[in-house]
Amino acid sequence: QVQLVESGGGSVQPGDSLRLSCVASGRPLSSHEMAWFRQAPGKEREFVARISWNNAFTDYKDSVKGRFIISRGDNQSTAYLQMNSLKPEDTAVYYCAMRLRGSSTHDYWGQGTQVTVSS
């Protein structure tokens, strides 16, 4: 069993930045893909960013490319999502997720952290 806990959300103005954190326990982050998803009110959950188990590559939703950066901490127990130039359409609950090697779906999810971007 893996536990994921997100933090770092908040209410900001357009153009501001936030850094989300996801602390994992139970399994090392270095052996698993980590990803960020988000869900806006009345919308389905959508993919935002992912980083491979060995940090060899990252992938992003088109609308956040150049603005968001996913990374891992030095001890591999924490994943981050640096969000720059935030826009109102980025408003959502952000979830971190872990996919075990060989799994077809994301196996573990955090409880989410709210990000609100408004003037």
Side-chain angles (χ1 to χ4, degrees):
Q1 183 66 39
V2 171
Q3 297 80 45
L4 305 177
V5 180
E6 304 97 332
S7 63
S11 297
V12 298
Q13 297 182 2
D16 285 353
S17 297
L18 283 173
R19 190 191 193 197
L20 306 183
S21 298
C22 175
V23 178
S25 62
R27 289 181 181 270
L29 279 171
S30 61
S31 297
H32 308 88
E33 176 188 284
M34 293 296 299
W36 288 93
F37 291 76
R38 67 187 182 188
Q39 186 169 21
K43 305 293 184 180
E44 294 186 357
R45 187 176 299 176
E46 65 178 3
F47 164 81
V48 176
R50 66 171 177 163
I51 184 167
S52 64
W53 69 272
N54 60 355
N55 299 333
F57 69 87
T58 57
D59 192 23
Y60 298 91
K61 175 180 174 65
D62 285 345
S63 64
V64 309
K65 288 180 178 178
R67 298 190 297 122
F68 291 9
I69 302 171
I70 187 170
S71 62
R72 282 190 169 98
D74 290 340
N75 62 6
Q76 298 293 297
S77 65
T78 305
Y80 302 101
L81 184 68
Q82 177 67 44
M83 304 185 294
N84 300 316
S85 301
L86 283 163
K87 304 175 180 180
E89 52 263 44
D90 295 319
T91 295
V93 176
Y94 283 71
Y95 299 89
C96 65
M98 176 183 289
R99 184 174 66 85
L100 304 179
R101 294 184 68 187
S103 178
S104 61
T105 62
H106 288 84
D107 303 278
Y108 303 101
W109 296 82
Q111 294 299 306
T113 184
Q114 176 71 48
V115 173
T116 302
V117 186
S118 62
S119 300

